[in-house]
Amino acid sequence: MLEGETLARIQRAIGRHIAHARKALSAERLDDDAVHAARKDLKRARSGLRLLRPLDESAYRRENMRLRNAARRLSPVRDDKVLLARLAELIAEEKRPARRQLLMQARRDVRNARRRDWRALCSPDEIERIDQALAAAAKRVRKWRSPLQGPGYAAPQLAVQRLYRKGRKALKRSRQDPSDECLHEARKQAKHLAHALEILAGRTPPKKAAKLLAKADDLGDWLGDDHDLAVVESRCLSLPADADKPKRKIARRLEKRRAKLQDKALDAGRKLFRGKTRTTISYLVRNIQP
């Protein structure tokens, strides 16, 4: 397949994900499922943009910012829902009254925040502003062109190499410093690499690529669960000081769970960012299917 055809297919994939997000948000009655679907499509669209980044760095930054800002407007209501689910699990497992009371107080706070966040999202002009931003981004991406020669002509190859390096570095940093920030960055980079490879592989990825994508999904899922527990821990620790002892107990319990999730994620990361993966990615990029 010619590079021009490959780049056009990437552009179509980005446009398709943006269109799916716009459709989800245009539902007569917006709900959690629609918001979740829109956010997933916007993440995939942003990963697709990274495949075109070598073509025009300033254009990439501009459109990536549009999509990122749109997704951020959707994040609060989705994050609230995830937090409530995590808190419900912890409350069901907790037997100590003081700790249950603390978790239930955190749940009340999240429920109040969720009501505020939904009101903000469903305000008269908010969805329209998001839709306009997404439409503008899709239109601009369609107009990107590939140069006849030079680095931009091999944009997908250069972009995937960059994504792989960034993911590997992020994982290395998270091993050295397993802070919330480093772990979250490792998860983001793994997701971007996986989504970009999904776009390149098409609907039926080769067996080796499918295994690679499964490893990336595992890494993302485990670090996603870890991030959720980190937010729950932060919420609980921010509650009134008179519940100091229960807070410490809950924090220790969450830290143990997080340690197990992090171990699983880092193990998956080692398998994802090893030499065989680099070989598989090179093969996949050289043999892009129509």
Side-chain angles (χ1 to χ4, degrees):
M1 177 182 282
L2 299 175
E3 289 291 343
E5 294 173 352
T6 301
L7 296 175
R9 186 160 67 81
I10 294 170
Q11 288 171 306
R12 288 195 297 272
I14 296 170
R16 183 169 61 251
H17 285 304
I18 293 176
H20 289 168
R22 294 179 66 194
K23 182 178 180 180
L25 295 175
S26 68
E28 185 175 346
R29 186 174 179 82
L30 195 62
D31 58 17
D32 287 301
D33 290 340
V35 170
H36 183 46
R39 289 183 73 230
K40 288 197 298 184
D41 273 304
L42 291 180
K43 287 177 182 178
R44 283 171 165 77
R46 290 181 64 201
S47 298
L49 279 179
R50 280 162 170 76
L51 290 172
L52 302 182
R53 188 171 188 172
L55 293 178
D56 190 332
E57 178 69 22
S58 62
Y60 160 76
R61 290 181 179 274
R62 181 181 61 244
E63 305 315 327
N64 182 59
M65 182 176 66
R66 286 181 191 270
L67 298 184
R68 182 186 62 205
N69 290 344
R72 282 179 175 174
R73 294 175 186 174
L74 305 175
S75 294
V77 295
R78 176 62 188 173
D79 293 345
D80 293 339
K81 178 179 172 61
V82 172
L83 282 180
L84 287 174
R86 292 293 180 191
L87 285 165
E89 292 171 2
L90 292 170
I91 290 169
E93 297 169 0
E94 186 56 70
K95 305 302 181 185
R96 300 286 180 134
R99 296 179 207 169
R100 280 180 60 86
Q101 184 177 2
L102 188 65
L103 291 168
M104 291 172 70
Q105 183 176 348
R107 184 172 63 177
R108 285 194 296 270
D109 290 347
V110 175
R111 282 176 173 169
N112 290 334
R114 179 170 163 79
R115 284 191 286 268
R116 292 193 298 270
D117 292 334
W118 266 114
R119 283 197 298 268
L121 180 60
C122 295
S123 61
D125 300 326
E126 183 67 1
I127 295 298
E128 183 178 353
R129 283 194 293 267
I130 295 173
D131 185 71
Q132 290 174 351
L134 297 182
K139 183 176 180 180
R140 288 176 181 270
V141 170
R142 283 198 302 270
K143 294 181 179 180
W144 285 13
R145 293 292 179 266
S146 172
L148 296 177
Q149 58 185 1
Y153 188 60
Q157 291 90 332
L158 294 172
V160 169
Q161 291 169 7
R162 180 174 184 167
L163 286 169
Y164 179 85
R165 288 195 302 269
K166 289 187 71 174
R168 186 178 57 190
K169 289 179 181 179
L171 185 71
K172 183 178 179 180
R173 283 194 297 270
S174 65
R175 285 200 201 99
Q176 297 169 345
D177 174 22
S179 62
D180 295 344
E181 181 180 358
C182 288
L183 290 167
H184 187 55
E185 181 63 21
R187 180 189 180 223
K188 286 197 303 181
Q189 294 303 330
K191 284 291 189 181
H192 281 312
L193 176 62
H195 292 159
L197 291 175
E198 283 178 356
I199 290 174
L200 292 177
R203 295 182 179 178
T204 55
K207 186 176 180 179
K208 289 184 178 180
K211 289 182 178 179
L212 188 155
L213 293 173
K215 290 187 181 75
D217 284 341
D218 287 341
L219 174 60
D221 290 343
W222 283 321
L223 288 181
D225 291 343
D226 173 71
H227 177 71
D228 295 343
L229 293 179
V231 176
V232 170
E233 182 180 355
S234 176
R235 291 266 186 164
C236 289
L237 291 177
S238 67
L239 291 172
D242 58 359
D244 199 40
K245 185 176 179 180
K247 283 195 292 188
R248 289 198 305 270
K249 292 285 188 179
I250 289 173
R252 282 198 292 269
R253 179 179 165 192
L254 293 176
E255 288 295 337
K256 289 181 181 178
R257 289 194 178 192
R258 293 187 61 197
K260 292 179 181 179
L261 289 168
Q262 290 169 22
D263 286 344
K264 289 181 179 180
L266 293 177
D267 183 58
R270 279 189 289 271
K271 294 176 182 177
L272 177 63
F273 293 104
R274 60 185 176 181
K276 288 183 179 180
T277 297
R278 190 186 298 112
T279 302
T280 300
I281 289 174
S282 298
Y283 172 81
L284 178 60
V285 174
R286 287 196 308 269
N287 296 275
I288 298 171
Q289 298 298 314

